[in-house]
Structure formats: C-alpha cells, structure tokens
Amino acid sequence: MSHGDDQQSQALAKPTFSDVQASALVESVFGLKVSKIQPLPSYDDQNFHVCISSTKDTTDGPTEYVLKISNTESSKTPELIEVQNHVTMFLRAAGFPTASVRHTVAGNLTGLMAVDGGARVPSYLVRLLSYLPGRPVAEIPSSPQLLYEIGRLAGKLDETLQKFHHPQLSSLRRESFIWNLKNVPLLEKYLDALGQNRNREIVVQVIQLFKDEILTKLSHFRECINHGDLNDHNILVESSKSAFGDAVYQVSGILDFGDMSYGYYVFEVAITIMYMMIESKSPVHVGGHVLAGFESVIPLTPVERSALFLLVCGRFCQSLVIAAYSCQLHPENKDYLMITAKTGWKHLQQMFDMGQKAVEEIWFETARSYDSGVSM
C-alpha cells in the first residue's frame, strides 16, 4: 500500500510463494533444512513460520524462524529493509525482545530472489528472523497494568532509537508513505472504497480537522524515529503468576518494523492508543493508561497533548480506509485486512460523538491518577 495508485501493480505486489517454494528458499538462501513450515497472516508481505531440523551446524542457533518475503514495492528499497534489520538488532542488543536476524549463506542479512513470471520477473527480498515466543495482545484481556507497560514500552523504544545511527538512516524519511501519521490527508484518494455513508462523512471531517489543526502544529512536535505500528498483533506477551495468584503479563516480543519512519513522539503514543482500543471492552478508557506509561519515559508537551485526540482519530481513519481499499485489491485476504474494521468504526464514531473535550478529560484524568499512585 505504500506506493502508487496503479491497482494492477498493487495486486501483483504481494508475494504468493507456496509452502514448498518457501521451504526451498530457506534451504538455498540460508542453508537450513526445513522440518515444518506454515503460512502466517500478513498485510502486504508474505510470512511463514519455519521449523528447522537440528544439525551439527545449527545446534547453537534458534530452531524456529519467521521467513519474511517482502512485496515487490518494498523490495525496490533494499536500503530501507537494511535499516529495519539493523534497528531490530540494535534494539535486541539494548535489551528489547526483538528478533535476531539470520545471515544468508553469502553472509548478508537479506537475499534477493527473482521469480520468473513470464513477461515480468519480479524480485523479492527475503529475510529470516528468529521466532519470538508469546501470544499477541489481541488474544488476552487488557488490564490497566498491561496497557501502562505497553505505553512505557513505546516510550522506551522511541527514546532508545534516538541513539541509533546508520549510513542509510535518511531512508526513514518516507514523505509520501501512506502509513506515516502525518499523511492522513492522502486518504482522500481512497475514499471511494467506503461508499456514501456516515463512516465516510466522519473520515472527511477528520481529514479536514487534521489539515487545520495538526499539519499547522507539526513544527511544535518533537521529532523521533517511530516504530509506527505497535498494534495488538505486533506485541507478544507471556504470563506469570503474581503473588495473589492472578496472571501478570510481560512483553515477550515486538514484531514488524516495516512501517518505521521519522515521525514524532506524540505519533507513537497516538498509534499505540488506537490499536490498544480495538479489542478493549471499554475503549475510551484505554488512552489514559497507555499515555501514563509513555509519559513515565517521555512526558508530552501541552501542544503535543492537545493533538492526541485528532491523531488517534487520524490513525483509525488510516487503518479503516486502507483496509477497505485493500479488500478491493485482495478479497482473498479480507479476514485479516478487516480485523480493525470489526470494532474500529464503532470506536471512531463513539470518540467523535463524545467529542475531544470529553475524551481528553477521561484520558488525562486517568493518566494523572498514576502520579498520585491510584490507577483508575
């Protein structure tokens, strides 16, 4: 979804490797013998869960991996994929639960595979990442404690990435990238995917408010590198028992750095709040817990805080509009593409109906309760 409007090129962009072809890739590019392989859900790349047969050469490494095959558009920007790989390794070295990256038999972090498709010969970048343990946050009931921890994680990620350096770092300045939160106005060209209804009316209003009230404030936000997609399927958790016998969850994995770009601290917390609302039974109350966690690392300025409501609405619009458009291109992937839409439209309408002042009151009051040691 990140480049261009040509529907055919978009339809061709997602790889369609079979299990057998993917196994052969792992063996030829990474020199590992596959014992089991199965597809994983994905947006516009292709992912496989790969189990490796143990040999004398592989006893030291992981036995489970994720094979990532980038779509044809992403594969045209190998420098961006390289930066993503180095960020993953940098964060792992800094103590974050990110994947390790397996080198190819040629000693590289990625391989480039050309697939004969007749007149066109598309090329796909392939990577092999260690498989991380845990369950997606989407599958467990979210508690205030977990939401706070996830907010804190988002803050620590952005803080740590300020120390990251790489010769290709400028590749993260993705000015026309549809998923960068500042690009909400680019959704205008995809609105026909919504038809004529209240959903479309809300999106049109959000886009206009975004132009008037967010784009005019960007110079007042503090810039940083954003993960940009801390959604409830990209954060894995494992449980342990507390002293009282109930389950306490710790983050065990951070996935998918494919939407990384330069943005702002307030973008990261807004994106995280929006995705943590998706499966919540009291979605409007989520924001305060996530915000408190984030601000325990990076307190927002008053101008950043005042933008939070519209930024969360903007991310809902990005996710919902792009999913509707992608469904037209990839109807076979509808179940995965429409995960957010199942509750997202309802949450966005609720926020809009309540209004900025009422939602902010709940968020900021909840966040303030952490200062006094009484979480709500």
Side-chain angles (χ1 to χ4, degrees):
M1 281 302 302
S2 58
H3 300 280
D5 293 321
D6 175 34
Q7 294 215 1
Q8 180 152 16
S9 70
Q10 290 290 0
L12 290 169
K14 184 166 180 171
T16 54
F17 284 70
S18 68
D19 294 6
V20 172
Q21 289 172 315
S23 289
L25 268 184
V26 173
E27 296 186 17
S28 62
V29 178
F30 299 97
L32 297 172
K33 184 79 178 156
V34 176
S35 62
K36 185 181 170 190
I37 190 163
Q38 63 186 98
L40 293 169
S42 61
Y43 207 95
D44 50 11
D45 296 325
Q46 199 178 12
N47 298 329
F48 292 89
H49 180 191
V50 181
C51 297
I52 299 302
S53 300
S54 191
T55 68
K56 66 179 190 308
D57 298 325
T58 59
T59 46
D60 293 341
T63 56
E64 293 183 72
Y65 290 91
V66 173
L67 174 67
K68 288 188 76 70
I69 307 172
S70 297
N71 64 67
T72 49
E73 290 299 316
S74 297
S75 296
K76 292 173 187 171
T77 53
E79 67 283 356
L80 185 59
I81 307 274
E82 185 186 338
V83 170
Q84 291 167 14
N85 283 335
H86 281 276
V87 161
T88 304
M89 295 188 296
F90 171 79
L91 289 171
R92 188 175 176 85
F96 289 86
T98 55
S100 58
V101 186
R102 173 88 185 189
H103 284 79
T104 67
V105 288
N108 303 313
L109 292 175
T110 57
L112 188 63
M113 297 305 300
V115 178
D116 190 355
R120 295 181 175 201
V121 183
S123 293
Y124 301 97
L125 278 172
V126 296
R127 290 174 284 169
L128 202 60
L129 309 176
S130 58
Y131 186 84
L132 296 171
R135 292 168 63 194
V137 167
E139 293 180 5
I140 60 165
S142 60
S143 65
Q145 170 260 336
L146 181 57
L147 293 169
Y148 179 91
E149 288 304 323
I150 288 168
R152 187 169 169 79
L153 173 76
K156 290 189 82 64
L157 262 183
D158 283 8
E159 181 186 57
T160 304
L161 286 174
Q162 292 287 42
K163 305 182 192 89
F164 176 74
H165 300 287
H166 190 275
Q168 303 283 357
L169 201 55
S170 61
S171 65
L172 294 181
R173 295 202 177 277
R174 306 167 75 180
E175 294 306 314
S176 59
F177 182 46
I178 192 71
W179 286 107
N180 188 308
L181 192 45
K182 75 176 178 189
N183 288 329
V184 165
L186 294 183
L187 296 176
E188 286 175 330
K189 60 180 142 183
Y190 303 110
L191 290 178
D192 286 346
L194 301 180
Q196 297 291 339
N197 50 38
R198 169 127 202 264
N199 291 344
R200 183 181 177 131
E201 287 168 17
I202 291 176
V203 173
V204 168
Q205 282 181 269
V206 170
I207 290 172
Q208 191 54 53
L209 287 167
F210 204 94
K211 289 176 182 175
D212 295 341
E213 298 181 30
I214 300 295
L215 297 187
T216 55
K217 289 179 184 169
L218 288 179
S219 61
H220 299 287
F221 299 160
R222 291 165 298 164
E223 190 182 57
C224 66
I225 296 169
N226 290 147
H227 175 283
D229 195 17
L230 288 174
N231 70 48
D232 50 351
H233 290 268
N234 283 342
I235 300 172
L236 304 178
V237 291
E238 288 187 310
S239 66
S240 57
K241 284 275 192 288
S242 74
F244 304 104
D246 50 350
V248 178
Y249 291 95
Q250 283 89 29
V251 175
S252 60
I254 307 165
L255 308 178
D256 196 356
F257 287 77
D259 285 356
M260 270 180 62
S261 65
Y262 270 98
Y264 305 91
Y265 289 129
V266 70
F267 280 14
E268 196 81 273
V269 67
I271 290 166
T272 308
I273 287 171
M274 175 261 162
Y275 283 120
M276 292 307 112
M277 289 174 69
I278 296 298
E279 301 289 345
S280 175
K281 293 198 168 47
S282 54
V284 174
H285 290 84
V286 162
H289 302 293
V290 176
L291 177 61
F294 191 89
E295 290 198 312
S296 72
V297 183
I298 303 166
L300 297 183
T301 64
V303 71
E304 288 167 340
R305 269 188 158 217
S306 71
L308 204 49
F309 173 84
L310 263 182
L311 288 170
V312 173
C313 290
R315 184 49 163 214
F316 266 117
C317 291
Q318 283 182 312
S319 184
L320 294 164
V321 172
I322 295 169
Y325 176 74
S326 298
C327 274
Q328 294 180 341
L329 302 179
H330 299 290
E332 75 287 351
N333 205 22
K334 185 173 182 179
D335 288 349
Y336 181 75
L337 292 169
M338 296 305 281
I339 287 171
T340 302
K342 284 174 187 162
T343 57
W345 286 115
K346 187 176 68 179
H347 296 344
L348 177 60
Q349 286 181 14
Q350 183 188 10
M351 282 180 68
F352 228 64
D353 290 343
M354 288 178 67
Q356 179 165 346
K357 191 168 183 298
V359 173
E360 282 182 347
E361 218 165 82
I362 294 169
W363 288 352
F364 298 163
E365 188 58 40
T366 302
R368 208 165 24 246
S369 72
Y370 282 83
D371 296 335
S372 59
V374 185
S375 58
M376 298 172 75

